[in-house]
Amino acid sequence: MLITPLDKWICGKLGFSQLSSDELCRYRLGKLRENVCYARAQGKFYREKLRDFGDVVSFDDFEKLPFTMPEDVSQNPHDFLCVPLDDISRIVTLSTSGSTGKNKRLFFTSEDLELTIDFFHHGMSTFTAPGDRVMIFMPGQSAGGVCDLLVRGLGRLGANSFVYGAISDFGDARRAALDFCPTVLVGLPKQMNRLAEESMGDLCLKSVLLASDFISPSFVSAIEGAWSCKVFMHYGLTESGLGGAVSCAAHEGYHMREADLYFEIIDPVSGEVLPSGELGEIVFSTLTRKGMPLIRYRTGDISRIIAGRCACGSAIRRFDQIADRGVIKGWGG
């Protein structure tokens, strides 16, 4: 079984000859300390938020820092900026729930976008080869959006791509797929499940990437059965820079984007950091973002970190299957 290509990618980015848990741990701590110093020095929000906290010299120090909440970003988006607004290449506005909630605005520099393109390039190579034809059924077709960044990453891989967008007419989507003859599909779980029902046996696919926070195992089985392909899964949020974690050939969880993001699992009620294997809320911190770094951002998503090495051989940490976000509202562990 091939090791996840993220292993070699992260080795190259970090200058390691071989990845080990100890090396990754030292890298994470160093980047967390650097990121906290940067965010506090350059941004108004963290300068005020972390005023009473000392330097981060250990993970214990880091875990004492307060969480960043989605409403913090909604209420004070410009206070998170750590570069002049002229240096921002992409601004994303996300709708929030409720009639009175403010929309979240997220800022990315060209360097921040490049980090995502690089992740897509190497993450997609898990199940995509040069010459493959990739059809993308995702929203976000504008410049700097998820489809644009994915196409650019696939281009570096030597794959051909066609962005269809989110599906509103499944008959039209089926006809477009038959015309393009893809070998790889990328899309949202419910839409790919429905498309599989509409085009069972019509497409000759080798793999499908499902991109979402929650993916029903029944969808995976149905899609693999309909198209005789392998299903891979991706987890990410706009706040995390889109790319977050992706499954490998072993299909034993999602390997994290550890060069750029640090993930924790916490008890949603107490805020306590939980050990590997325990179910809790995903919290992430950016390690390399310059435009709008985030520290201990609460996602509301539920999962666990899988203990030990993956069967593919990689030391990169993994999430288990992401649970439905609704779990957090009636949390019982």
Side-chain angles (χ1 to χ4, degrees):
M1 181 185 299
L2 293 176
I3 193 169
T4 173
L6 296 185
D7 202 276
K8 182 177 180 180
W9 173 63
I10 292 178
C11 271
K13 284 175 71 76
L14 308 189
F16 297 157
S17 58
Q18 185 175 357
L19 278 189
S20 70
S21 297
D22 288 344
E23 289 278 15
L24 280 171
C25 195
R26 283 192 287 272
Y27 168 79
R28 290 184 211 114
L29 181 57
K31 294 303 288 186
L32 287 172
R33 181 178 185 179
E34 181 181 307
N35 186 53
V36 169
C37 290
Y38 173 75
R40 186 155 39 190
Q42 302 298 325
K44 179 181 178 182
F45 179 83
Y46 287 115
R47 183 161 55 247
E48 296 176 354
K49 184 88 169 178
L50 305 180
R51 180 184 295 123
D52 298 328
F53 294 85
D55 290 340
V56 172
V57 296
S58 68
F59 286 106
D60 286 341
D61 292 335
F62 184 74
E63 291 168 8
K64 293 173 184 175
L65 299 182
F67 296 111
T68 301
M69 307 300 292
E71 52 265 34
D72 293 328
V73 177
S74 300
Q75 294 167 5
N76 308 290
H78 287 84
D79 289 354
F80 285 84
L81 276 172
C82 289
V83 299
L85 195 56
D86 287 347
D87 291 346
I88 295 298
S89 295
R90 169 91 172 151
I91 302 174
V92 182
T93 301
L94 298 178
S95 298
T96 54
S97 59
S99 59
T100 60
K102 294 182 179 179
N103 292 334
K104 283 184 284 188
R105 303 193 77 197
L106 302 161
F107 302 89
F108 301 92
T109 66
S110 58
E111 291 84 359
D112 297 334
L113 297 178
E114 167 59 30
L115 292 171
T116 298
I117 296 169
D118 195 32
F119 172 72
F120 284 163
H121 168 198
H122 293 88
M124 290 295 291
S125 70
T126 304
F127 46 85
T128 310
D132 271 337
R133 298 171 66 81
V134 184
M135 193 164 184
I136 303 168
F137 293 97
M138 295 283 291
Q141 300 180 55
S142 58
V146 62
C147 292
D148 176 47
L149 301 181
L150 185 54
V151 166
R152 290 159 71 180
L154 287 165
R156 295 179 186 181
L157 184 57
N160 301 306
S161 55
F162 169 54
V163 177
Y164 180 89
I167 302 174
S168 58
D169 182 333
F170 284 88
D172 183 71
R174 175 181 175 275
R175 289 188 291 272
L178 290 173
D179 287 343
F180 184 65
C181 298
T183 53
V184 179
L185 296 186
V186 179
L188 302 172
K190 288 184 178 179
Q191 295 207 336
M192 292 301 94
N193 183 57
R194 171 74 183 278
L195 185 61
E197 293 174 351
E198 297 280 341
S199 59
M200 187 176 296
D202 290 346
L203 301 178
C204 185
L205 300 172
K206 70 175 190 179
S207 55
V208 173
L209 176 67
L210 301 181
S212 181
D213 52 3
F214 171 70
I215 299 170
S216 168
S218 65
F219 287 175
V220 174
S221 298
I223 291 167
E224 289 185 336
W227 286 325
S228 299
C229 64
K230 291 292 185 182
V231 169
F232 294 80
M233 294 178 279
H234 172 264
Y235 170 74
L237 306 89
T238 304
E239 294 95 323
S240 70
L242 299 172
V246 66
S247 58
C248 70
H251 300 282
E252 295 183 352
Y254 308 11
H255 287 286
M256 301 175 192
R257 182 184 168 185
E258 295 220 86
D260 300 314
L261 299 167
Y262 175 66
F263 290 98
E264 304 170 87
I265 299 291
I266 66 164
D267 183 297
V269 177
S270 69
E272 177 187 1
V273 176
L274 299 176
S276 296
E278 292 196 23
L279 196 68
E281 181 182 356
I282 298 174
V283 171
F284 77 85
S285 301
T286 59
L287 300 180
T288 51
R289 188 183 302 170
K290 296 302 180 186
M292 186 180 185
L294 294 173
I295 297 169
R296 308 201 78 198
Y297 182 86
R298 294 187 64 156
T299 67
D301 294 336
I302 300 296
S303 185
R304 71 184 89 225
I305 293 174
I306 302 172
R309 280 182 178 260
C310 179
C312 79
S314 176
I316 300 172
R317 295 188 304 160
R318 295 163 292 145
F319 287 128
D320 202 349
Q321 170 71 48
I322 307 299
D324 195 310
R325 280 190 182 185
V327 173
I328 197 169
K329 296 176 183 178
W331 179 255

